Amino acid sequence: MKSAKELLTELEEKGFLFSVFYRGAFCWGLPFGLLFSLAISFFERKPYLIAMMQILPIALILGAVFGWGLWGVALLQGVKRRQDND
C-alpha cells in the first residue's frame, strides 16, 4: 500500500485526467455505485440491474468530483514540498 505522500506524487506526475477518470470515477465511483446499487436492490426490493442503472451515472460523476479534489490536493502538496526544499 502506498503512503499518502507517494500517492499524491503519483497523481501530480500522471496528470489531471488520470486523477479524475482513473482514481476518481473508476477506482472510487464505480465500486461505490455497485455497492450502493446492491444496497438499494436489497432494501427497496428492486432488481439489481435497475438499481445499478439508476445510481451508476451519479456515482461516476461523484467519483470524478472526488478525483478532481484529489488532483487539487496533489498540486497543493507539490507546491508545499517544493517550498520546503527551497
Side-chain angles (χ1 to χ4, degrees), residues 16-51:
F16 177 75
L17 294 177
F18 176 81
S19 177
V20 169
F21 291 114
Y22 181 73
R23 286 285 182 194
F26 185 70
C27 289
W28 188 86
L30 185 64
F32 173 77
L34 294 176
L35 289 174
F36 197 70
S37 60
L38 183 65
I40 288 173
S41 69
F42 180 73
F43 289 114
E44 293 187 8
R45 307 254 192 258
K46 287 184 178 180
Y48 179 72
L49 290 176
I50 291 175

Side-chain angles (χ1 to χ4, degrees), residues 25-82:
F26 185 70
C27 289
W28 188 86
L30 185 64
F32 173 77
L34 294 176
L35 289 174
F36 197 70
S37 60
L38 183 65
I40 288 173
S41 69
F42 180 73
F43 289 114
E44 293 187 8
R45 307 254 192 258
K46 287 184 178 180
Y48 179 72
L49 290 176
I50 291 175
M52 186 176 60
M53 288 186 330
Q54 289 177 343
I55 199 67
L56 203 56
I58 296 167
L60 290 174
I61 290 170
L62 291 176
V65 169
F66 176 76
W68 194 351
L70 275 178
W71 171 250
V73 170
L75 288 180
L76 288 174
Q77 291 299 320
V79 168
K80 279 184 173 181
R81 190 177 57 248
R82 282 191 226 74

